[in-house]
Every structure is written in C-alpha cells, then in structure tokens.
Amino acid sequence: MPSIGYFPGCSLSGTAAEYDRSLRAVAAALNVDLAEVPDWVCCGATSAHAIDHGLARALAADTLAKARRAGHSELLAPCAMCYSRLAAAARELAGDHRLRRTLLAAMGEPDDLDLHGVRPVSLLQWFERIGLESIQARVTAPLKGLKVACYYGCLLVRPASVTGEREVEAPRSMEILLTLLGAQPVRWSMALECCAGSFALSRKEAVLRQGRRIYDAARRAGAEVICLACPMCHSNLDLRQGEFGVPREDRLPVVYLTQLVGLALGRPREQMGFDGHFVDVNRPAALSA
C-alpha cells in the first residue's frame, strides 16, 4: 500500500474533525496509507504568521523536519491554510541555505538534514497524483448530477510562486474531478474570493457581508451545495448563514471535497462526518441517505 506523510493540523484535529474523518475514509478506499507526522505542531497560519513571520516559519520548518526524519518526501496538508504556510516555508528554505542552517540549529537538528526535501501537497494535488481516471474507476455511487459550486478560496491555488499551480485565475481541477464523479459543477463568480475568515474577531461585519455575497452567487448559479477544502472557509460559510440573514429553509449545504469523493466511492455516510455540520446536508437528492 503506498504511503504519504500526513499533516492534519489543528483544525482537522478539532473543529474540522469531519474533514479528517472523510479524508481517512477516502484514503482507505484508494488504498493509500496516511502516515501522520509524529509530534507535529501548529503551522503558524493564524496569529503567529501575522505577528511574527520568523516564528511562523520556524513552526512550519519543525513539521517539515519531523516529516523528513520520518522518511517522507511528500507531506499532504489538506487544510488550505496549512498547505499555504508549509509550502511557503519549504520554498524559503530551499532558496536560503543560511536560514536553513539557522533553523536546524535552533531545533537541535543535524545541519545536514535534507529539510527542503519534503514537498507539501494540497488536497487537489494529491488527487491529481493518484490520477483522476483512477479515482473515477472506483466510483460506485455517482453523484447524480448534483449541482456544485466549487469554492477554492484565496489560498488553495494561489499564489503561483508558492503552489506551483499554472491556472491560478481560473482553476478547474475541482470541477474536473467532480464531473468525473457524476456531479454538475456550476459556473459562478466567487470561486476564488476570500471568505474574510481572518477578520472573524476584528471585523465580523466584513465576514458576514462577504459570506452573504458568496452564498448569493452560489444560489444565483443554481448550486445545491458549496464544495471546498478549507476549514476556515467551511466554518464561515456553514456556521454563519443564519447570521447573514438566510432563512433556515433556504440555507445551502457546505461540504468538503473529501466528503463528496467519499460518497461517490461508496464509503458509508457515517464516515463522512455530515453530523458535524450546521446546515442540513440531506436536502439535495444526491446527498440524501
């Protein structure tokens, strides 16, 4: 069974546990072993990154070092924010030998540890490495034309200098995968817009305003669900629909990409973690039990 290093990060170990559960179910269906990095620490994506860039970089470097010592050359970071921080740190370390030696010394690691030999991988990149046609070949429960608004947010594919993605202004990888699974991605205007999650405490009105714009755009496009790969975006769009004025009967399910992939691969619904959502996910026929 092939193996890949796995960094769940703080969110998938707590508030986004359903993302972790559905990812593990998908990995099992694809015969991939997720080898969790031992003793990983926070990636520094939130306050540490905003207050002390050096500290945030050191936090990411610590996880990269632990992944390398565990023998991993690739590290799956399904959270878009974690992926962005780890990938940015890996890029900085690859181009700055002095910085790499300084961080290794601070962490008590040998100065010859190949710290830049670990490549962070996003969820979309991981699926592409497995092979979209290979995933399609395992589909046992197609998504029956489910109309999906694919939401990349601001960090999953950008900036190109960090992610290495070619199509950063009009990505299609999520749409291509979901189409192969039987879904029907919609064309809409907010796929790459920030959800304003970092302002949840300091400027909540901005979060609610932006969340409503995303919701309205998905509704106008005819979407039955919003699909994403970021716990912060999920929290904002799933938790706050009532706060930005959407009646309960009109609320739009917000799901992780792994949950839709898991359903299409025939994994049991209880492994998808739908019971952890605020908006009921059972209304679209393709998602009902």
Side-chain angles (χ1 to χ4, degrees):
M1 178 183 294
S3 175
I4 187 171
Y6 175 43
F7 178 76
C10 305
S11 292
L12 273 77
S13 299
T15 55
E18 64 273 23
Y19 193 3
D20 175 77
R21 287 169 59 190
S22 58
L23 173 62
R24 291 180 186 275
V26 167
L30 297 173
N31 294 318
V32 176
D33 175 45
L34 298 180
E36 188 168 334
V37 174
D39 197 29
W40 57 265
V41 297
C42 174
C43 70
T46 52
S47 56
H49 173 57
I51 297 170
D52 190 329
H53 178 68
L55 173 59
R57 185 172 52 195
L59 289 171
D62 181 72
T63 291
L64 292 173
K66 289 169 179 172
R68 192 59 182 152
R69 279 198 279 110
H72 302 301
S73 59
E74 290 190 324
L75 181 61
L76 174 60
C79 168
M81 295 179 70
C82 293
Y83 165 67
S84 179
R85 290 310 314 146
L86 291 171
R91 181 174 179 271
E92 287 187 73
L93 292 167
D96 192 329
H97 300 293
R98 180 177 298 178
L99 172 63
R100 191 161 62 248
R101 287 195 299 270
T102 298
L103 287 175
L104 286 170
M107 294 185 294
E109 299 284 358
D111 59 12
D112 61 347
L113 181 65
D114 187 16
L115 190 58
H116 59 293
V118 182
R119 175 177 176 154
V121 175
S122 73
L123 182 69
L124 293 179
Q125 292 168 344
W126 181 57
F127 282 140
E128 289 174 351
R129 278 162 172 69
I130 292 172
L132 301 189
E133 291 184 355
S134 175
I135 297 173
Q136 182 187 29
R138 298 172 183 266
V139 171
T140 60
L143 297 176
K144 305 176 185 177
L146 178 71
K147 294 180 179 179
V148 183
C150 297
Y151 183 63
Y152 294 82
C154 53
L155 293 174
L156 189 58
V157 297
R158 298 183 295 184
S161 60
V162 170
T163 66
E165 297 287 342
R166 294 187 299 274
E167 299 294 338
V168 295
E169 297 303 326
R172 298 291 299 167
S173 54
M174 200 182 302
E175 286 87 347
I176 292 171
L177 173 58
L178 287 173
T179 299
L180 293 175
L181 301 182
Q184 181 182 335
V186 301
R187 295 178 64 87
W188 70 313
S189 59
M190 299 292 285
L192 290 165
E193 297 295 324
C194 177
C195 74
S198 60
F199 295 108
L201 295 179
S202 60
R203 295 187 60 188
K204 186 177 179 181
E205 72 282 358
V207 177
L208 299 181
R209 184 170 60 249
Q210 186 69 350
R212 183 65 198 232
R213 290 181 63 218
I214 293 169
Y215 167 85
D216 286 342
R219 272 294 188 204
R220 285 195 301 270
E224 297 174 280
V225 298
I226 296 174
C227 178
L228 43 67
C230 176
M232 179 67 79
C233 297
H234 186 273
S235 177
N236 277 333
L237 298 177
D238 178 54
L239 170 65
R240 299 186 186 279
Q241 289 186 38
E243 291 185 79
F244 51 71
V246 180
R248 184 176 297 276
E249 63 273 14
D250 293 332
R251 293 176 192 174
L252 198 59
V254 182
V255 299
Y256 289 107
L257 178 57
T258 48
Q259 293 176 314
L260 294 186
V261 175
L263 285 182
L265 296 181
R267 307 307 293 181
R269 287 181 62 84
E270 56 268 23
Q271 293 182 6
M272 296 302 102
F274 287 136
D275 55 341
H277 291 230
F278 287 89
V279 177
D280 181 16
V281 300
N282 292 311
R283 279 177 293 169
L287 293 183
S288 60

